[in-house]
Amino acid sequence: MVNPSKIAFDIDGVVADTMTLFLDIAKNEFGLNNMKYRDFIDYNLDCLDISIEILEAIIKKIEDGTYAATLKPIVGAPAVLNRIGEGSECLLFVTARPKTGPILEWMIKNLDVDPLKIKIIATGSYTAKEAVLLQHGISFFVEDRLETCFTLKEAGIEPVLFKQPWNRKKHPFIEVESWEKLDHIIEDLSLSG
Ligand SMILES: [Mg+2]
């Protein structure tokens, strides 16, 4: 049996389908219909053909929860997280968002886990993640930003890259393309101790 207290998760692009939400807000509130999920080939979003003002406005809406569209979980995430949450005292999420904002409530709503077990830490910076993870004794972190995987690895945390169009570069890490695959990996990883 794996030790779920050793694993933690990023939120956007791993648990939450934030890029689809981005596309929905772009379409509904800014009339931008031409972008596709597969266009997100760079995490910095400078791959997109939109102005920096609109880009920042959409990101702010996502962070504040001020949008009419629905943020959906990535397929399969809730089922796996529910199971992990059942067998652990704490389900830890570490996000580079500047604040927890509406995402805690979203997590509580989308998971069938005791809300008291759900812990979300917003670091405000990608490079602050490893310190938080080390403080919490985390050995494995599921992440979609490839650059962050490298810094985690240097800090002694094993990254698990969640495959997305924006992380299609060569890398040496464990990679999963779905929560079904992640579920198997979690079972296989030696998380005990
Ligand atoms: Mg992410």
Side-chain angles (χ1 to χ4, degrees):
M1 181 64 193
V2 297
N3 181 350
S5 67
K6 297 284 180 189
I7 191 163
F9 307 87
D10 175 41
I11 299 175
D12 297 303
V14 171
V15 177
D17 190 358
T18 315
M19 286 305 185
T20 297
L21 175 64
F22 184 102
L23 289 172
D24 288 344
I25 295 172
K27 193 163 103 185
N28 301 340
E29 303 189 33
F30 296 91
L32 300 169
N33 298 306
N34 296 329
M35 286 184 288
K36 303 264 185 316
Y37 197 93
R38 62 172 183 270
D39 294 337
F40 292 94
I41 55 168
D42 191 295
Y43 198 91
N44 297 322
L45 303 182
D46 47 17
C47 52
L48 301 176
D49 187 21
I50 62 173
S51 72
I52 186 77
E53 289 78 18
I54 292 181
L55 183 63
E56 285 175 355
I58 296 174
I59 290 171
K60 185 160 191 326
K61 279 173 177 286
I62 291 172
E63 287 169 359
D64 294 343
T66 50
Y67 49 81
T70 303
L71 176 59
K72 296 192 190 76
I74 300 248
V75 174
V80 175
L81 289 169
N82 288 344
R83 220 200 48 240
I84 296 172
E86 215 170 276
S88 75
E89 313 226 310
C90 175
L91 207 46
L92 179 65
F93 301 92
V94 180
T95 172
R97 286 186 181 215
K99 59 186 177 189
T100 309
I103 204 71
L104 176 60
E105 207 180 303
W106 180 88
M107 200 67 80
I108 291 168
K109 204 179 111 204
N110 282 277
L111 299 186
D112 194 12
V113 172
D114 178 354
L116 294 174
K117 289 184 178 181
I118 298 173
K119 185 169 184 179
I120 298 181
I121 297 174
T123 63
S125 139
Y126 301 112
T127 50
K129 280 188 172 181
E130 65 257 30
V132 169
L133 294 170
L134 290 172
Q135 272 165 21
H136 286 78
I138 296 298
S139 308
F140 297 92
F141 189 67
V142 188
E143 170 68 54
D144 65 316
R145 186 174 178 267
L146 186 54
E147 294 77 2
T148 305
C149 291
F150 282 94
T151 53
L152 293 177
K153 182 76 182 179
E154 262 172 48
I157 297 151
E158 195 65 48
V160 178
L161 184 73
F162 195 87
K163 188 179 175 186
Q164 289 284 9
W166 49 91
N167 59 35
R168 300 298 76 217
K169 287 197 186 109
K170 217 172 159 233
H171 66 82
F173 310 118
I174 304 166
E175 177 178 303
V176 294
E177 61 192 34
S178 67
W179 274 83
E180 199 188 344
K181 291 269 161 58
L182 180 57
D183 199 16
H184 294 308
I185 294 275
I186 290 171
E187 289 294 332
D188 290 346
L189 293 173
S190 175
L191 296 178
S192 54

